[in-house]
Structure formats: C-alpha cells, structure tokens
Amino acid sequence: MTLTRKSLRQQIKEILLTRILQGEYRPGDRLIELQIAQEFGTSQAPVRESLRELEALGFVESVPYRGARVRAVSQQELAEVYPVRAAIEEVAARTAAARLAGDVSALEAEIAAMHRAADDGDLYAQVCHDVAFHRLIVDACGNRVLQEVWRSLRIEARTLISVVKTEIEPHHLADMHRPILEALRAGDGDLAGRLLRQHVEFFGELVLKGEHA
Amino acid sequence: MTLTRKSLRQQIKEILLTRILQGEYRPGDRLIELQIAQEFGTSQAPVRESLRELEALGFVESVPYRGARVRAVSQQELAEVYPVRAAIEEVAARTAAARLAGDVSALEAEIAAMHRAADDGDLYAQVCHDVAFHRLIVDACGNRVLQEVWRSLRIEARTLISVVKTEIEPHHLADMHRPILEALRAGDGDLAGRLLRQHVEFFGELVLKGEHA
DNA sequence: CAAGAATAAATTATCGATAAACGAAAGTCA
DNA sequence: TGACTTTCGTTTATCGATAATTTATTCTTG
C-alpha cells in the first residue's frame, strides 16, 4: 500500500498529532484503537503504541480498559507553563550569552522573519518564528537536560493558543525580542537572562488576564 | 497464573525499573523483548509497551529494529540537572511560601528523619528524606506543570548517585535544609527561593568537583 | 415504577505467529 | 588480500485472533 521508510508507529503518531494540533480531533474526543487501525489499514498494535507515545507527550490521556481521549489543555495549565518557562529560559540565556560569543545573526533572522510574517498577516508563521527565537537561545546554552525540559513543555502547541487569545500588535511583538538580542550580542548573560525572564512572565500575565474562555 | 490487579504492562514496567535502579541491569545492557517475556511468562506485547514507557521516562534508549538498552547516565548529564533544578525549585519555593501559611511541620519531620537516618548510617534513607523535603516544597507550590517537570528530572535516581560520590557529613547535610525551612515558616518566599536555589547549586558544584569517575 | 441482577455490545489488553530488518559470518571475484 | 555479496541467525515490528473489562441495555422482582 503506502510507501514507508519510517515505522508505521511513527507515521501514525505524526498523523494523529497533526490532527490534534490542527483541531481536527477536539479535546475530549475518543481515539479508538481498532477504528483508527482500520482507517490506516494496519493492525491494532502500531496504533496502540502511537497512542501511548502521545500519552507520554501529554497530548492524550488514557484509562485502562477505557481507552484514550484527546487531552484538554486548561487555561490554568496554560498559565502555569509560563513561570517554569521563564525560570528555565533565564538560565538558558545566561549560559548562552558566553557561548554565542556575540554571534546573534540567527536570532536577528528570526526577528526579521517575525516582521515579515506580521506584514503578511500570517499569525501561524509569526508564532513559529517567535518560538524559534526562544529555541535558539535554549539550544545555544548547551545544557541537554535543560533543552529536553524546555521541549517537554510543548511551547509550540501552547504559544499558538496564547497568541490567538491575547491579540498583541504583531510588529510590537517582534520588537519586544530586540533588547534580549542586544544583551546577548553584548555578551551580558545576566541582563539577557533577566530580560528574557520578564519577557516570558509578561506573556504569562497576558494569558491570565485574557481569561475570557 | 499469578493473581493480578494491575495490567501486565504496569507490573513488568515496575519490575524492570527496579532492576535498573538497583543496578541489576547495568547501563548498556540489552533488554530483549522475547527473552523478558519468556521470563515473566507473558507474550511480547506487554514487555514491548513497558520498554516504550521506560524509554519515555529516560531509563532506556532504543533504536528501531535494534532493540533497547539501559541508558547510561553520564557525569555531564548529572551535572546539567542542577541548574535546571535550582531554577525550578526557586520558583516553587517562592510560591510555596504563601501557600504553606507558615505550616512547615512536614518539612520539619523530613529534617528530623534525615538526622535519624544519619545516626543509623542509612545513606539510602537519608537520600529519600532529602528528596522528600524538596518534593514537599515542589508539591506545595501548586503548579502542576512545575511539578511534572520536576518529576521528569528523576531526582530520586540521580541524587543517590550524587550523594555517594560527594561524601558530605550526613548531619551537616540535614542541617543545611534548616534555613530554607525557616524562611518558609516566616512566609518569606523570596528568601526561601534564593536559599533553595543556592542550596541546589551548591550540590551541583560538588558533583562537578567530584568528577573522579 | 425503581433498584438491582443478568445479559449484550463495544473496546482494550494480551496472545501466538509471521514478516521485516539488522548484524555477523561465510562466500565470491578482482 | 580485500572489498563486495550472500546467507543465516537473531530480534524487532506487525498481524489477526482471543480473552478480559467496561459500559449500556434488558430483564427481573419487590
């Protein structure tokens, strides 16, 4: 049937994840193993394993003998991410300052891309580049454990939700990243860390205020 | 055969985890699905799912079609945990101070238990109560995301390794927690956070220095 | 008619067997 | 000899079927 290089499990997992992130499956929807297996023309096993992985990633939750459902991300949970993010990214920026050695070209590019996306009115692209900016800093710090923890917060999936809710002027949003970039360019890790922390905390508070769900 | 209330998968996972933590399986050891299944008298499926869960938890690593091995925790990784821990626990302590409302009896009990363990020369118990002290603070902060991230660091498993390597006087170790407790009793979240951060960072540096592996 | 038992329907958990992929060892040809 | 195939044993990945469990429905019985 289909040409496969990756394992079925991997493929199914990616398809299901896409559907969850794009809202095709809504929170609370049941994900029935045999039903999905039938759709893809596979057996139950790889579907089952996919669901387990998605469970570990926090996108679905399951109860023994009762099956899996798409996990609802509560407003509270969304808000709780920010203090953790802020603390982690502060550490990342502090370490990254030295390791970047003033080379902030990649960060510069992301800010530029944010402006372009703002011009195009492409909210999705804007979020992607925003997240990429933060990820660059996290990656630059060189601490693998920190990187893994940051990824486990699934910022991509959550930022999109946040941005849609808060309605900030897009160009302003892009420019807010500049002071952080300048501090990193100057090699001032302490300052960069403090700025980044405030930056993230600022959005955390926005999300809290925007609780009109 | 045996009477079971939990799923096979859950049971197998726990047994395998115990073996890994107790060193029965050494880092790098292969975990062969059918071999384990045969030992427990089950089929391959539940073993397979157990291994996947342990992989998600970071205790084993696996490559497609090549199987799973016990993951080696490098000295570097061990050291990298501390900055992250320090940042997270600082946030936790700051928030916990208000929510505890001065009730630090549980924390008091853990310090007492550490001293008892020190008297008995029971290093394992000492580590457990040390970890419990930190966990109490993390739990008290009420931020679920923070709690989950902290747990994902698997402090229990790593602290044991660290303590064994650093050789601190046990009663002194216990007493080092007291200033944090006092700050929490006084409701001073900022101070508690700063103290806790320093406390954790201190151990991070100890681990770095103790690199005689 | 309501509470509880018994049954039926749906779905997950586990099984045993087969197919696919990998790594090592043996074989081939310049 | 040495690089490239081929073969073979091992182990994972997937399959189709069955057992176990839950939920919904129907049937009692007072």
Side-chain angles (χ1 to χ4, degrees):
Chain A
M1 38 138 177
T2 74
L3 38 151
T4 83
R5 202 76 292 258
K6 296 171 183 173
S7 68
L8 285 180
R9 186 178 86 236
Q10 201 65 15
Q11 294 179 74
I12 294 172
K13 175 184 149 193
E14 282 169 19
I15 293 175
L16 293 181
L17 183 53
T18 305
R19 290 184 179 173
I20 292 174
L21 291 181
Q22 299 195 344
E24 190 170 339
Y25 293 150
R26 316 286 305 277
D29 281 1
R30 289 194 64 181
L31 300 174
I32 293 164
E33 297 178 357
L34 278 174
Q35 194 172 294
I36 296 169
Q38 199 158 20
E39 179 190 342
F40 293 137
T42 78
S43 80
Q44 190 187 352
V47 174
R48 198 176 155 73
E49 296 191 0
S50 299
L51 289 176
R52 287 271 119 69
E53 286 191 54
L54 291 175
E55 187 182 3
L57 290 173
F59 289 104
V60 312
E61 54 194 348
S62 74
V63 182
Y65 287 106
R66 288 217 269 143
R69 294 171 174 279
V70 178
R71 184 152 165 273
V73 181
S74 70
Q75 187 77 27
Q76 184 196 6
E77 187 186 337
L78 204 58
E80 284 181 350
V81 171
Y82 284 89
V84 179
R85 246 193 93 177
I88 291 175
E89 292 192 23
E90 179 180 21
V91 174
R94 197 174 294 153
T95 318
R99 295 178 45 113
L100 283 173
D103 177 11
V104 292
S105 51
L107 293 167
E108 196 90 64
E110 293 300 339
I111 292 185
M114 280 187 243
H115 279 297
R116 267 198 308 281
D119 286 333
D120 299 348
D122 186 344
L123 196 59
Y124 181 73
Q126 171 125 17
V127 168
C128 287
H129 290 296
D130 188 337
V131 171
F133 181 93
H134 290 265
R135 193 207 315 279
L136 277 170
I137 295 174
V138 167
D139 284 345
C141 87
N143 182 327
R144 295 288 188 89
V145 173
L146 189 151
Q147 289 164 14
E148 198 186 312
V149 165
W150 190 83
R151 292 209 167 76
S152 79
L153 293 176
R154 298 181 294 285
I155 313 283
E156 299 86 342
R158 312 206 211 210
T159 302
L160 188 54
I161 305 173
S162 306
V163 168
V164 171
K165 284 193 180 163
T166 54
E167 300 174 13
I168 271 195
E169 202 288 304
H171 282 289
H172 179 52
L173 177 63
D175 283 331
M176 290 174 73
H177 293 84
R178 189 154 290 282
I180 300 162
L181 177 146
E182 293 305 337
L184 287 173
R185 191 207 300 280
D188 189 341
D190 266 23
L191 178 60
R194 232 172 315 127
L195 289 173
L196 185 51
R197 162 170 230 141
Q198 284 164 12
H199 173 86
V200 174
E201 280 174 348
F202 171 75
F203 283 97
E205 282 159 32
L206 269 192
V207 169
L208 270 180
K209 281 179 193 151
E211 280 191 42
H212 46 246
Chain B
M1 77 140 155
T2 74
L3 35 153
T4 79
R5 205 77 291 262
K6 296 172 185 172
S7 70
L8 284 179
R9 187 179 85 237
Q10 200 64 16
Q11 294 180 74
I12 293 171
K13 175 184 149 192
E14 283 168 18
I15 293 175
L16 293 181
L17 184 52
T18 306
R19 290 184 180 173
I20 292 173
L21 290 181
Q22 299 194 343
E24 190 170 340
Y25 293 149
R26 316 288 306 275
D29 280 2
R30 289 194 64 182
L31 299 174
I32 294 164
E33 298 178 357
L34 278 173
Q35 194 173 296
I36 295 169
Q38 196 158 21
E39 178 189 343
F40 294 136
T42 77
S43 81
Q44 191 186 350
V47 174
R48 200 176 152 72
E49 297 191 359
S50 299
L51 289 176
R52 286 273 118 70
E53 286 192 54
L54 292 174
E55 188 182 2
L57 290 173
F59 289 103
V60 314
E61 54 194 349
S62 75
V63 181
Y65 288 108
R66 288 218 267 142
R69 293 171 175 278
V70 177
R71 184 151 165 274
V73 181
S74 70
Q75 187 77 27
Q76 184 195 6
E77 187 185 339
L78 204 59
E80 284 181 349
V81 171
Y82 284 90
V84 179
R85 248 192 92 178
I88 292 174
E89 293 193 22
E90 179 180 21
V91 174
R94 197 174 293 153
T95 318
R99 294 178 46 113
L100 284 173
D103 177 10
V104 291
S105 51
L107 292 166
E108 195 89 66
E110 293 301 339
I111 293 185
M114 279 188 245
H115 277 297
R116 268 199 307 282
D119 285 334
D120 299 347
D122 185 345
L123 196 60
Y124 181 73
Q126 171 124 17
V127 168
C128 288
H129 291 295
D130 188 336
V131 172
F133 181 92
H134 290 264
R135 193 205 316 278
L136 278 171
I137 294 174
V138 167
D139 284 345
C141 86
N143 183 327
R144 294 288 188 89
V145 173
L146 189 151
Q147 288 164 15
E148 200 187 310
V149 165
W150 191 83
R151 292 209 168 76
S152 79
L153 293 175
R154 299 181 293 287
I155 313 283
E156 300 85 341
R158 313 207 209 208
T159 302
L160 187 56
I161 305 172
S162 306
V163 169
V164 170
K165 284 191 180 165
T166 55
E167 300 175 13
I168 271 195
E169 202 287 304
H171 283 288
H172 179 53
L173 178 62
D175 283 330
M176 290 174 74
H177 293 83
R178 190 154 289 281
I180 299 162
L181 178 145
E182 293 305 337
L184 287 173
R185 190 206 303 280
D188 188 341
D190 267 22
L191 178 60
R194 229 170 319 126
L195 288 172
L196 184 50
R197 162 171 229 140
Q198 284 166 11
H199 173 85
V200 173
E201 280 174 347
F202 172 74
F203 282 98
E205 281 159 31
L206 270 192
V207 169
L208 270 179
K209 281 178 193 150
E211 280 190 41
H212 46 247

